[in-house]
């Protein structure tokens, strides 16, 4: 290597040393007085703001879920649609419709009709007496016939189509039910949200007639209800849902701004960011546990005769997307806390950053030795490296915040793509000095 190359390399080392000194001086000059770090009111204000943001984050998840159920028809159908194929719900609907049909069949009249017909045919009196005692067997046979017919209807694909379409049409009525109004299909009655199963009964009636049970033709129009939700506190719940519906679009923004304010007023903002993220995670954990406890409480207070298995399936379906939102926000909080921790000065954080940086730098050196030249791209990334990192994080935050219903998978993939983006930034970070030294050394070599 020529003398000029040695001088160039020394100049580079001196430049790096001057840059390190400048950064150390800047950090020392920017450090606040030690006495100001323990100001009690400022620290207390930061803690209170972070706790308030965690509480609002819990309410935000519930509010977004309430809006999705009440205002988004597709979301509502996605929620209740799978119930058509749920075995517990099918069994409850089958029992309810079977009971409604049998209640309209006069077994005594059928037995009398049978004995009268036998008498007209001239059967012996003893046979007529035996026919008169057939109330029980005939009723059991009718129950089996009706039950099998209803079960065949309820477990068919046609029922799934009818169920989904009926719920889609009933969505606006459910909105009215939750806001205290009523509708012919979905209504609030005796603290219950119910769906009329009359069309299913009519379908069963037609199939019984087709199967040869002519007496079913005399069954009048039946309107029987399937309870979607029942609670003595429905009146209060609908009021809360209405409030959350109004605030649903603003609560997430308010919670985010309050959390940002809590981090901003803190003396150690990185620690405050970690605390805020962990507080949100704890809030999501509490909400998840609360949903499980609420399920048991709800099932314990069902009206007499209600199917607990079916009610449990309905509850799980209704809170399915709420649980998904809880898990997604908890994942965001954990990733945020981990990112803030790894950005700090702890030994683990420094070793992690150094290991990643050296690994990516080694890969870049291998690529450049194989002929890759980053040129202007490398110099641009080196110059604006910090702002590129900020842009990547902002884009990730915007994606998560504007995604309609982010799931845990969305959060994880966003985190993975963000890490890949930061790794690419590190790989492209090349000020071109090494290339310049190598090129000059090659030019000076005879």
């Amino acid at each position: 290597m020529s003398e000029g190359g040695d001088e160039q390399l020394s100049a580079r080392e001196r430049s790096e040393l001057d840059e390190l000194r400048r950064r150390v001086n800047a950090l020392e000059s920017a450090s606040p007085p030690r006495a100001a770090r323990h100001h009690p009111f400022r620290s207390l204000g930061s803690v209170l703001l972070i706790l308030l943001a965690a509480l609002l984050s819990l309410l935000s998840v519930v509010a977004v879920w309430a809006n999705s159920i009440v205002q988004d028809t597709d979301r509502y159908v996605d929620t209740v649609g799978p119930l058509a194929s749920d075995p517990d719900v099918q069994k409850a609907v089958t029992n309810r419709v079977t009971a409604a049909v049998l209640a309209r069949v006069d077994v005594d009249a059928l037995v009398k009709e049978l004995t009268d017909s036998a008498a007209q045919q001239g059967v012996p009196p003893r046979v007529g007496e035996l026919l008169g005692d057939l109330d029980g067997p005939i009723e059991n046979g009718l129950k089996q016939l009706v039950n099998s017919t209803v079960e065949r209807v309820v477990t068919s694909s046609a029922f799934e189509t009818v169920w989904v379409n009926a719920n889609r049409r009933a969505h606006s009525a459910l909105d009215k039910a939750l806001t205290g109004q009523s509708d012919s299909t979905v209504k609030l009655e005796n603290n219950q949200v119910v769906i009329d199963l009359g069309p299913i009964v009519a379908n069963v009636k037609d199939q019984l007639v087709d199967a040869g049970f002519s007496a079913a033709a005399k069954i009048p129009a039946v309107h029987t209800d399937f309870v979607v939700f029942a609670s003595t506190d429905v009146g209060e719940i609908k009021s809360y849902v209405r409030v959350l519906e109004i605030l649903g679009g603003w609560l997430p923004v308010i919670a985010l701004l309050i959390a940002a304010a809590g981090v901003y007023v803190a003396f150690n903002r990185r620690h405050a960011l970690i605390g805020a993220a962990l507080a949100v995670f704890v809030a999501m954990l509490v909400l998840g546990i609360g949903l499980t406890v609420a399920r048991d409480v709800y099932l314990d207070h069902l009206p007499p005769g209600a199917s607990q298995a079916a009610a449990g399936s309905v509850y799980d379906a209704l809170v399915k997307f709420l649980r998904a939102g809880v898990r997604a926000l908890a994942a965001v909080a954990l990733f945020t806390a981990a990112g803030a921790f790894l950005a700090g000065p702890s030994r683990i954080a420094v070793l992690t950053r150094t290991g990643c940086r050296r690994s990516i730098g080694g890969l870049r050196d291998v690529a450049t030795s194989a002929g890759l030249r980053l040129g202007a791209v490398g110099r641009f990334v080196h110059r604006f490296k910090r702002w590129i990192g900020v842009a990547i994080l902002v884009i990730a935050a915007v994606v998560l915040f504007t995604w309609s219903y982010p799931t845990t998978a969305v959060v994880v993939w966003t985190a993975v793509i963000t890490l890949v983006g930061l790794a690419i930034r590190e790989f492209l970070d090349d000020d071109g000095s090494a290339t310049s030294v190598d090129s000059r050394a090659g030019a000076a070599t005879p």
Side-chain angles (χ1 to χ4, degrees):
M1 183 177 291
S2 66
E3 183 179 354
D6 293 338
E7 292 178 355
Q8 177 66 26
L9 186 59
S10 299
R12 180 187 176 191
E13 291 177 347
R14 287 197 300 271
S15 177
E16 292 179 352
L17 183 57
D18 292 340
E19 177 66 17
L20 288 175
R21 289 173 177 171
R22 185 188 65 79
R23 291 186 180 182
V24 170
N25 293 332
L27 289 174
E28 291 179 349
S29 61
S31 299
R34 183 173 298 273
R37 291 181 180 274
H38 303 286
H39 197 289
F41 294 106
R42 185 170 175 181
S43 300
L44 178 62
S46 176
V47 171
L48 292 178
L49 288 173
I50 288 174
L51 292 178
L52 178 59
L55 175 61
L56 290 180
S57 69
L58 186 151
L59 295 177
S60 298
V61 175
V62 178
V64 172
W65 167 78
N67 276 342
S68 68
I69 292 296
V70 174
Q71 295 184 351
D72 192 335
T73 301
D74 293 333
R75 186 74 161 181
Y76 172 77
V77 172
D78 290 341
T79 299
V80 300
L83 290 174
S85 57
D86 184 272
D88 293 325
V89 173
Q90 289 178 346
K91 183 178 180 180
V93 172
T94 298
N95 293 339
R96 189 74 182 89
V97 174
T98 299
V101 172
L102 290 176
R104 270 71 177 182
V105 177
D106 191 344
V107 178
D108 292 336
L110 288 177
V111 173
K112 186 177 184 304
E113 182 179 345
L114 180 60
T115 55
D116 291 344
S117 177
Q120 292 176 2
Q121 297 294 330
V123 298
R126 179 58 180 165
V127 176
E129 293 178 3
L130 292 175
L131 291 175
D133 297 331
L134 291 180
D135 295 48
I138 289 178
E139 184 174 0
N140 291 334
L142 281 177
K143 184 174 182 179
Q144 293 180 0
L145 173 63
V146 173
N147 187 270
S148 61
T149 303
V150 173
E151 186 175 358
R152 191 164 55 249
V153 172
V154 172
T155 57
S156 66
S157 58
F159 171 70
E160 293 185 16
T161 303
V162 170
W163 175 272
V164 170
N165 291 338
N167 275 283
R168 184 176 293 277
R169 290 192 301 268
H171 178 260
S172 60
L174 179 62
D175 184 9
K176 296 177 182 179
L178 292 176
T179 54
Q181 303 179 35
S182 64
D183 188 86
S184 59
T185 305
V186 178
K187 53 190 175 181
L188 188 64
E189 187 176 86
N190 298 326
N191 289 324
Q192 297 177 343
V193 178
V194 298
I195 296 179
D196 182 16
L197 297 178
I200 301 177
V201 177
N203 192 339
V204 171
K205 172 183 173 181
D206 294 338
Q207 291 210 18
L208 287 174
V209 173
D210 294 339
F213 183 52
S214 58
K218 300 178 181 179
I219 298 176
V222 177
H223 294 281
T224 187
D225 298 327
F226 178 78
V227 177
V228 177
F229 183 84
S231 173
T232 56
D233 299 324
V234 167
E236 295 182 14
I237 292 174
K238 66 181 182 180
S239 301
Y240 297 149
V241 167
R242 183 57 180 167
V243 172
L244 292 176
E245 180 185 357
I246 295 173
L247 298 178
W250 292 103
L251 274 180
V253 178
I254 296 173
L256 183 62
L257 292 176
I258 292 177
V263 173
Y264 179 79
V265 301
F267 287 104
N268 192 321
R269 291 169 183 166
R270 188 180 60 82
H271 287 175
L273 179 59
I274 295 175
L278 293 179
V280 172
F281 175 79
V282 171
M284 294 303 101
L285 184 63
V286 170
L287 180 55
I289 296 174
L291 290 176
T292 302
V293 174
R295 185 183 191 276
D296 295 334
V297 173
Y298 167 65
L299 295 180
D300 289 340
H301 291 78
L302 286 175
S307 171
Q308 284 207 349
S313 297
V314 172
Y315 179 90
D316 292 337
L318 289 175
V319 302
K320 172 184 176 182
F321 293 112
L322 177 56
R323 285 196 172 109
V326 169
R327 289 191 292 266
L329 188 53
V332 171
L334 282 181
F335 282 127
T336 302
F341 171 77
L342 292 176
S346 68
R347 185 179 183 85
I348 297 177
V350 172
L351 289 176
T352 302
R353 293 198 305 269
T354 303
C356 292
R357 187 179 299 113
R358 288 180 178 177
S359 299
I360 298 174
L363 181 61
R364 182 179 60 246
D365 292 341
V366 171
T368 53
S369 64
L372 176 65
R373 295 294 179 265
L374 298 176
V377 174
R379 292 190 296 272
F380 177 84
V381 173
H382 179 77
R383 181 178 179 182
F384 299 101
K385 182 178 180 179
R386 181 182 298 274
W387 291 108
I388 292 174
V390 171
I392 292 174
L393 295 177
V394 168
I395 291 173
V398 169
V399 168
L400 290 176
F401 198 79
T402 57
W403 197 289
S404 297
Y405 305 109
T407 61
T408 306
V410 172
V411 174
V412 171
W413 278 110
T414 302
V416 170
I417 294 173
T418 300
L419 292 176
V420 170
L422 295 175
I424 294 175
R425 180 198 66 161
E426 187 66 29
F427 179 83
L428 297 177
D429 179 17
D430 185 11
D431 60 357
S433 58
T435 302
S436 175
V437 171
D438 292 343
S439 61
R440 292 189 182 188
T445 302

